[in-house]
Amino acid sequence: MAETARIQEISADGREPAKESTDQDPYEGPGRILWNFLKSVRLGVVLMAGLAAVSIIGTFIPQNQPEDAYKDAFGDAWTRLLSGLDLFDMYHSSWFRLLLALLVANIVVCSIDRFRAQRKIIFTQNPHFLPERFRKQENRQSLISPASPRELAGRFAHHARRSFSVVGTEQRGKTTYVYAERGRWTRLGVYIVHASVVLLALGAMMGSFFGFDGYMKIAEGETASQCFERSTGKPLALPFSVSCEKFSVSFNDNGSPKEYRSSLALSSGGRTLVKKDVLVNHPLRYRGISLFQSSYGKMPPNRITLALTPSGGDAPLTRTLSVGESSTLPGKRGVLTLKSIADSYAFGNRELGETAILVLQKPGAKAVEVAVPFRFPAFDKMRRGEFALSVKEYESPYYTGLSVSRDPGVPLVYLGFLVLIAGLFITFFLSHQRVLVELSENKSGTRVAVSGIANRNEPGVDERVKRIAALLSAPAGA
């Protein structure tokens, strides 16, 4: 037979005996004040509300944006105030970390305080039942059976062992009590939910303390080994180098980008670690660091082909130059050097766009700076030199914009959600059930009374009581 229990007085709610707890607070004096503060349910509600408010604020105030974007949105005064409150990077702020730490402490202390009373129910070796409490249940079923108390007790015990973990029998005077209990462990459901919240908070704290959110731009064919923190622009060294071996972009008919793809290679110590094509929503992850495709663009040209048109009407000549490279003009007419390529160039009140800045050094003369706009091939004719310069071709390599992030708390967060689902399922769909069958013999047969108690899902235990009553009222062998 399964575990046997004593039947003795319990509290009016049908649970454990109403004994004065001998457990004491683990601290005295100031320690008790701190303990009572941390176990306050009101504190937990305030902290949860505070974190919810922070999340709402975070949806209205974009996080980790450039300062100019905030000034455009809020103005200088409000930007200084909100920045001083760390509302532009609140998830890494000291007050956000303090809220999380207090929440963890509050949940742990509340759980310990409550568990000290619950542990006697969950882990007791001698579960307690009060017959008087069962007799007051609305689900109580009474009947008269021609079978003997011993036969009925054996019938119920045989049935109960299939679905109950504890089955016991006790004889008190002329009455036989058969009890069954199941799901005592389900009372741990609330503590599993508490543990899941702690895991989620610890995961968030790990991400806040040890994670980062950065960005990097790499031109096609180039390599970088650091990114820049998004909130401060501070350079962050990576444990590997990132190479953009190839970048490609395709466009829709309306000119909007359809897909852009970066072929990335990670390397360290001259050894290639991993290669992968990165697209939007298809990041590259390595050693806890994720690289997301976030943007793209064109780098300023660093190599151009110039057309040199003689003023006398002869056929044009071409020269291909990189920034800093020089070329000798025919007939010893001087040396032409590509000094730089400017993103914009103003002439008078007009903006000419990308412009090649060249230096023309004629023999025995002072060097002259010549501006050659890409979009205006006839612009240099106004100089009336021996050659009119224009940009015939140029190379503008693409760059890939990558979001680089590391959040070591993500595994804890995933685990926390799994534990939360398990805890909620246990809490809302499972229950601690106890059933008591009273058997007393009289002149007309055996008087049978069946009743049950559950800490949750009372309709479920009511239905179980009805089935047990039907089982005991059935003829022997039915």
Side-chain angles (χ1 to χ4, degrees):
M1 183 175 290
E3 179 184 352
T4 302
R6 300 189 308 273
I7 299 177
Q8 63 181 41
E9 284 197 12
I10 62 175
S11 60
D13 64 357
R15 297 182 184 177
E16 286 61 45
K19 295 181 179 180
E20 184 176 348
S21 175
T22 58
D23 292 330
Q24 300 293 327
D25 285 337
Y27 299 103
E28 298 291 339
R32 177 175 291 184
I33 296 174
L34 177 61
W35 181 268
N36 291 337
F37 170 74
L38 291 176
K39 76 176 184 180
S40 168
V41 175
R42 183 178 298 177
L43 173 64
V45 172
V46 170
L47 291 173
M48 294 294 287
L51 289 171
V54 167
S55 300
I56 294 173
I57 294 173
T59 62
F60 288 100
I61 301 179
Q63 300 293 291
N64 300 312
Q65 298 297 307
E67 185 178 0
D68 291 342
Y70 291 122
K71 289 182 178 181
D72 292 340
F74 303 108
D76 291 345
W78 277 101
T79 297
R80 287 193 298 270
L81 175 62
L82 297 177
S83 178
L85 296 174
D86 285 332
L87 293 182
F88 297 146
D89 188 20
M90 61 177 65
Y91 301 112
H92 292 89
S93 64
S94 56
W95 56 262
F96 178 77
R97 293 168 178 171
L98 178 61
L99 284 177
L100 289 176
L102 282 175
L103 179 63
V104 170
N106 173 254
I107 293 173
V108 170
V109 171
C110 283
S111 298
I112 293 174
D113 189 71
R114 182 173 178 178
F115 186 73
R116 287 186 295 171
Q118 292 284 317
R119 67 186 181 188
K120 296 181 179 180
I121 304 175
I122 300 171
F123 300 110
T124 182
Q125 297 299 316
N126 297 299
H128 307 298
F129 296 88
L130 176 63
E132 287 74 13
R133 176 66 181 112
F134 283 84
R135 290 168 188 158
K136 297 177 182 179
Q137 295 301 307
E138 294 181 359
N139 59 24
R140 183 177 175 84
Q141 301 282 316
S142 299
L143 57 101
I144 300 295
S145 173
S148 67
R150 182 174 182 177
E151 179 187 346
L152 293 173
R155 188 187 304 180
F156 171 62
H158 177 73
H159 168 79
R161 290 191 188 98
R162 300 175 184 176
S163 54
F164 287 84
S165 59
V166 175
V167 179
T169 302
E170 184 174 327
Q171 185 73 35
R172 294 181 62 180
K174 295 182 179 181
T175 303
T176 301
Y177 296 97
V178 187
Y179 59 86
E181 181 182 20
R182 59 175 290 169
R184 191 191 305 166
W185 65 273
T186 63
R187 291 178 178 269
L188 292 171
V190 65
Y191 303 106
I192 295 175
V193 173
H194 289 178
S196 71
V197 178
V198 170
L199 288 173
L200 293 172
L202 289 177
M205 291 177 68
M206 286 185 65
S208 178
F209 278 103
F210 305 111
F212 65 83
D213 181 22
Y215 66 92
M216 63 191 315
K217 293 181 179 180
I218 309 176
E220 186 176 13
E222 293 187 358
T223 300
S225 58
Q226 67 177 14
C227 66
F228 297 89
E229 194 172 32
R230 197 175 296 277
S231 58
T232 64
K234 177 183 176 182
L236 299 171
L238 299 175
F240 46 72
S241 297
V242 184
S243 300
C244 180
E245 297 185 336
K246 183 180 180 182
F247 180 85
S248 60
V249 58
S250 58
F251 298 90
N252 295 310
D253 294 338
N254 61 4
S256 62
K258 180 179 181 181
E259 177 188 87
Y260 42 101
R261 176 190 303 260
S262 299
S263 298
L264 301 182
L266 307 185
S267 60
S268 178
R271 181 173 60 92
T272 300
L273 303 174
V274 64
K275 288 186 176 184
K276 183 178 179 179
D277 285 358
V278 176
L279 298 86
V280 176
N281 298 325
H282 292 80
L284 169 59
R285 291 187 171 92
Y286 186 76
R287 294 184 183 177
I289 297 178
S290 300
L291 292 90
F292 292 86
Q293 181 73 69
S294 62
S295 65
Y296 75 95
K298 284 191 172 184
M299 300 289 289
N302 56 13
R303 187 175 178 84
I304 62 174
T305 298
L306 293 170
L308 289 75
T309 304
S311 57
D314 294 338
L317 306 175
T318 60
R319 292 288 187 275
T320 300
L321 299 174
S322 299
V323 174
E325 189 177 358
S326 300
S327 177
T328 301
L329 299 178
K332 298 181 179 180
R333 296 177 181 176
V335 176
L336 191 63
T337 303
L338 179 57
K339 179 181 178 181
S340 63
I341 298 176
D343 292 336
S344 61
Y345 185 82
F347 180 74
N349 295 325
R350 188 171 183 180
E351 180 62 48
L352 302 182
E354 285 186 308
T355 301
I357 308 298
L358 300 113
V359 175
L360 178 59
Q361 178 67 66
K362 292 185 177 182
K366 186 178 180 180
V368 177
E369 190 170 271
V370 181
V372 183
F374 286 20
R375 291 185 296 156
F376 302 95
F379 179 81
D380 190 49
K381 290 183 179 180
M382 294 186 298
R383 187 171 53 85
R384 298 183 182 277
E386 296 179 88
F387 293 92
L389 306 177
S390 62
V391 177
K392 184 179 181 181
E393 296 176 357
Y394 60 91
E395 299 176 7
S396 294
Y398 279 104
Y399 71 83
T400 178
L402 301 173
S403 291
V404 186
S405 62
R406 179 177 180 270
D407 190 348
V410 168
L412 270 183
V413 172
Y414 287 158
L415 177 60
F417 278 118
L418 293 176
V419 174
L420 176 62
I421 293 171
L424 291 177
F425 178 82
I426 293 170
T427 300
F428 291 105
F429 294 97
L430 303 178
S431 62
H432 179 198
Q433 298 182 359
R434 285 172 285 185
V435 174
L436 182 66
V437 176
E438 299 180 44
L439 305 169
S440 55
E441 194 170 10
N442 58 25
K443 295 179 181 180
S444 58
T446 301
R447 184 177 180 179
V448 181
V450 185
S451 52
I453 298 174
N455 67 329
R456 287 186 298 272
N457 188 22
E458 293 183 359
V461 78
D462 294 348
E463 185 62 30
R464 187 178 293 276
V465 167
K466 292 178 182 178
R467 292 199 302 268
I468 294 172
L471 170 72
L472 298 180
S473 65

